[in-house]
Amino acid sequence: MNVVVCVKQIPDPAAPQSLDASHNLDRSGKLILDEADTYGVEMALQLVDKAGGGEVTVVSMGSGADVAGLRNALAMGAAKAVIVSDDALRGTDALGTAKVLAAVIKRESPDLILAATESSDGYTGTTPVQLAELLGLASITFAKSVTVEGSTVKVERQTESGYDEVSAPTPCVVTVTAGVVEPRYASFKGIMAAKSKPVEILSVADLGLGNEVGPAGARQEITAVLAAESRQAGEKHVDEGDGAQKIVAYLESIKVL
Amino acid sequence: MSVANIWVVVEPANGSLTSTSLELLTHARSLSSDVSAITWGDASALAAQVGEYGATTLYDVGDLGGALPGVPVAAAIAQLVAVRSPDAILIPTSYDGRDIAGRLSARLDRPVLTNVMGLSDEGGLVTEHAVFGGSQTVKAHFTGAGPGIIVVRAKSFVAEASGGAPASVVAAPSGDTGASGLAKITASHVEERTGPKLEEAAVVVSGGRGLGEADQYALIEETAKLLHGAAGASRAIVDAGWVPYSHQVGQTGKTVKPTVYIACGISGATQHMVGMKGSKNIVAINKDPDAPIFQIADFGVVGDVHKVLPALIEQLKARG
């Protein structure tokens, strides 16, 4: 079984974030593999292992100048990486991203496509489903467990009140939540092996795409960036055995008690 | 009003509509005098409520035969759009809402704006989004022709009935879904839940990594119960598997706006803050005096949650 995992290299969420002059997220610093994607990579590795054959390919869009994040996925055990890197893609929206990923995935024709429920930088949260629609495939989002039996994917899908058991025939798209599996740490051997694994860098033209991706295809624009109304820090007490009592008094003052 | 007509996707839940659906209907009617709704399942049972919140027509996609809603509902909307396109389609941020938005976007070849927390008419619809943990607000709008697909977070607007007559139910055409519609629900499991829902509780007590280990979450649950509130969690402990995802508050979890939010052992990652900074009052307990959560807390206690919470539980019990 061959599995494609859609991954994204993002600015470190722990570092300060800002928008550049074109209102795009500043990505000039070091990029890392989105932690949310490590669950999909791990899930894919386990499914391929269980199927007894096949390989995991990571597919991405973004700057190909720094592929340390992709190497991280390769070090975990993915066989190869494909990244679409093109200046013309700066300012691409979620739908445009899905068009780019769809063009790559068509060449791979995998049995299963995994992705995170959303990226940790943009949070749009629709790309995997847009991708599924463009590929004409079924999708199951918010998986908390994934198993494959023959040509059927079985998923426990998060709901507001619990979870549903959902199944779909392969190939299909599944988005996984954090907690679907525990991602492995790359071993030293894995890190060394990743250095010689193939990372293919493609351009928009390589995929036969044009203006439907990139900023023109986004058909949306940011008109203003404003400082949000900020909350002020209130009272702060160091607990000297009276912390609970002070909280009770505060809850009384706001009439919760 | 320059916004001619708005459609709202309204989600059924146990014979009623979800609270976010009602919030969107309410806001839609403040922007346009022509509001229609789209639902699935048993639409006739929802027509009165849909009308009460301001929509005049309710498009009914009907029984989905066990399919996940995303594909069939988006296919039906795409068919309706081909006949009479609205200016905007509002969709609640939810598991199924996001599926519908993604499917519809690709079908119509129109972009989406998601995580919307404000929507106004400024000679065209302008959306508002909180970015960087809510420290900045971004305003955006669509360009080009066709309906804007707008996915709105819970609690962005206040739901208010208008007293309108029941909406007239119109059967929506069913679109061709092909292989994409083959994801089927084979069983549903409801997790046992006691007390108020997280999004609706007046008091939310949340725990984070500062609890140290999974079994300490019982302190959060007990405090929440004594305050007749709901128990929430940071992403860190949900990812660690201590509590189910349904408890998660934050960018990737639920948005809550209770009367009081009590953050216990939560440092205040921007990811978390965006989901709770709209709370009326915020109390924080954290042993690190420099934790970012104190910057937005109305009342902070610098202390160990393992000492403060048991003492708080004891005092609340003593009050009966």
Side-chain angles (χ1 to χ4, degrees), chain B residues 45-63:
Chain B
L46 303 170
Q49 197 180 19
V50 164
E52 204 185 331
Y53 282 81
T56 49
T57 302
L58 176 60
Y59 292 108
D60 176 17
V61 183
D63 181 60

Side-chain angles (χ1 to χ4, degrees), chain A residues 120-132:
Chain A
S120 305
D121 58 350
Y123 288 114
T124 307
T126 54
T127 301
V129 174
Q130 289 164 323
L131 169 67

Side-chain angles (χ1 to χ4, degrees), chain B residues 70-230:
Chain B
V71 173
V73 174
I77 296 172
Q79 295 254 44
L80 290 167
V81 165
V83 179
R84 175 179 173 269
S85 182
D87 288 337
I89 301 169
L90 309 189
I91 302 175
T93 299
S94 64
Y95 303 115
D96 291 333
R98 284 172 34 161
D99 280 4
I100 294 167
R103 289 283 173 181
L104 185 60
S105 162
R107 273 196 175 241
L108 297 179
D109 192 28
R110 285 291 294 160
V112 290
L113 284 167
T114 66
N115 290 311
V116 170
M117 298 178 86
L119 181 65
S120 54
D121 180 6
E122 301 177 13
L125 287 174
V126 174
T127 56
E128 275 181 37
H129 312 251
V131 297
F132 307 140
S135 63
Q136 290 183 337
T137 300
V138 159
K139 288 188 164 198
H141 69 162
F142 291 108
T143 60
I149 302 168
I150 299 171
V151 188
V152 186
R153 287 183 71 91
K155 301 286 175 83
S156 297
F157 310 112
V158 176
E160 203 180 310
S162 68
S168 51
V169 178
V170 176
S174 57
D176 175 27
T177 58
S180 61
L182 294 178
K184 303 279 182 193
I185 301 168
T186 55
S188 289
H189 300 264
V190 175
E191 277 165 8
E192 197 97 9
R193 194 199 304 265
T194 53
K197 286 174 75 177
L198 188 54
E199 312 94 298
E200 287 160 14
V203 177
V204 172
V205 184
S206 279
R209 189 73 85 176
L211 289 169
E213 46 194 277
D215 59 5
Q216 297 296 305
Y217 191 76
L219 290 173
I220 300 297
E221 287 174 321
E222 188 165 11
T223 309
K225 195 175 167 199
L226 288 164
L227 289 167
H228 309 293

